[in-house]
Amino acid sequence: MDWTAARAMAHVSDCLLWYATDLAAGEQELSTTEIHVRPESKPDDLITTMTTHATILARIVDATAPGTRGWHPWGLADASGFAAMACDEMLVHTADVGSGVGQSFLPAEKLAAATVRRLFPWAPADTDPWETLLWANGRADLPGQERQVGWRWHCAPLSEWNGTNPMRRVTH
């Protein structure tokens, strides 16, 4: 990744608030707002911002009626899709930040497994969940699996998944 640790943290915060806004706005793309967290902020302030935006999203997810959908460029997501996208952003970019500052990161296996199952239903189920989540996000190789280049997740309800991996194939 070419970002600084601060830029990655700001990106996650941007996404969390964007997801909350999109879920609350419903199925129509809401392009009237620019959400931007300043990466030049102090690290403690970036952590507070990320925590605050995660809380906002969690409260909106909790208050969302079943069947409600929100706009996302990769599909009309339900509340579980937005929650899973938030988990993916926080987990993967926490690993990025940790790598950037020389610290390893290993999330709870249950959280990594739930995130990969919700967003990447085509991913193998018999591999380490964290390694699989990194693979699904194009961050790592997974033995016996094609490298995920141009990856995408499935954020719409799982009942709408067509059974294929939506990864954009790269031809040489």
Side-chain angles (χ1 to χ4, degrees):
M1 192 173 85
D2 296 333
W3 291 347
T4 64
R7 178 66 198 113
M9 292 174 66
H11 166 77
V12 172
S13 295
D14 289 344
C15 289
L16 297 173
L17 193 56
W18 176 43
Y19 296 161
T21 302
D22 282 345
L23 181 55
E27 296 184 14
Q28 179 179 337
E29 178 183 5
L30 184 64
S31 58
T32 58
T33 303
E34 288 188 30
I35 298 170
H36 177 69
V37 174
R38 294 185 305 273
E40 67 275 6
S41 301
K42 295 178 192 174
D44 286 349
D45 291 342
L46 289 170
I47 292 169
T48 299
T49 301
M50 188 183 313
T51 303
T52 301
H53 289 184
T55 299
I56 292 167
L57 176 58
R59 289 182 181 167
I60 289 176
V61 165
D62 286 346
T64 298
T68 300
R69 305 288 280 276
W71 186 88
H72 185 276
W74 292 351
L76 291 176
D78 60 359
S80 73
F82 279 107
M85 289 187 289
C87 288
D88 187 81
E89 294 285 353
M90 289 185 287
L91 293 173
V92 172
H93 289 304
T94 295
D96 292 337
V97 169
S99 177
V101 298
Q103 297 291 317
S104 62
F105 172 72
L106 183 62
E109 185 174 322
K110 187 175 179 178
L111 181 56
T115 303
V116 78
R117 289 290 137 250
R118 176 57 185 84
L119 293 178
F120 305 99
W122 54 86
D126 60 349
T127 54
D128 175 84
W130 177 232
E131 292 300 318
T132 304
L133 188 61
L134 291 173
W135 165 81
N137 279 272
R139 295 290 201 289
D141 289 322
L142 196 61
Q145 300 296 321
E146 182 180 358
R147 179 74 183 216
Q148 299 298 283
V149 177
W151 64 272
R152 294 180 73 146
W153 51 43
H154 179 82
C155 57
L158 287 174
S159 62
E160 297 176 11
W161 177 50
N162 69 5
T164 65
N165 180 340
M167 175 183 72
R168 293 183 308 275
R169 305 285 181 208
V170 177
T171 57
H172 298 245

